[in-house]
Amino acid sequence: RGAAIRSLRDGVRASIEHMVGLQRVSASLRAAEEPAPLSPGSFQAFRARTESYLRENAAALRPLDPELAAAIVTRTAEALLRGMGRDEPHWLDHPAFVDEVTELIARYLR
């Protein structure tokens, strides 16, 4: 979304909402024994966009290595959403779920 994102929190929230949607699709596909939608190529593109955003906004973030931070953020989001989608999918629909994950990642970056 690039320039359309007004703040770090908005960007993180949009990414988490998108990943929750993918996890819901993934759960449906697993039930139908089809492959999950977040392919390795899609994940690498997500990481590259995250790193690019972190580099472009480095002055507003706490001092960190954008490449390492992108790896931590994307793997944290992936692991959290896949694990919860697999083992505790009811949390994906909890009204505060996206807010809590957004807070986790935004605080790490600030």
Side-chain angles (χ1 to χ4, degrees), residues 2-3 19 31 51-52 62 68-71 74 77 80 88 95 102 105 110:
M19 291 181 76
E51 183 178 341
S52 177
R62 69 181 179 84
L68 176 59
T74 56
L80 179 63
E88 303 175 276
T102 297
I105 293 172
R110 291 220 165 103

Side-chain angles (χ1 to χ4, degrees), residues 77-90:
E78 177 194 37
L80 179 63
L81 291 168
R82 282 185 191 259
M84 291 186 90
R86 181 189 62 240
D87 301 332
E88 303 175 276
H90 63 282

Side-chain angles (χ1 to χ4, degrees), residues 8 12 47-62 64-74 105 108-110:
L8 172 67
V12 170
R47 178 173 293 172
R49 286 190 307 274
T50 300
E51 183 178 341
S52 177
Y53 176 85
L54 295 176
R55 285 188 189 285
E56 291 169 9
N57 295 280
L61 304 173
R62 69 181 179 84
L64 48 84
D65 178 322
E67 183 179 9
L68 176 59
I72 290 170
V73 165
T74 56
I105 293 172
Y108 163 69
L109 293 171
R110 291 220 165 103

Side-chain angles (χ1 to χ4, degrees), residues 6-19:
R6 294 182 307 272
S7 71
L8 172 67
R9 185 171 299 285
D10 290 343
V12 170
R13 182 176 185 77
S15 292
I16 297 304
E17 287 173 339
H18 180 72
M19 291 181 76

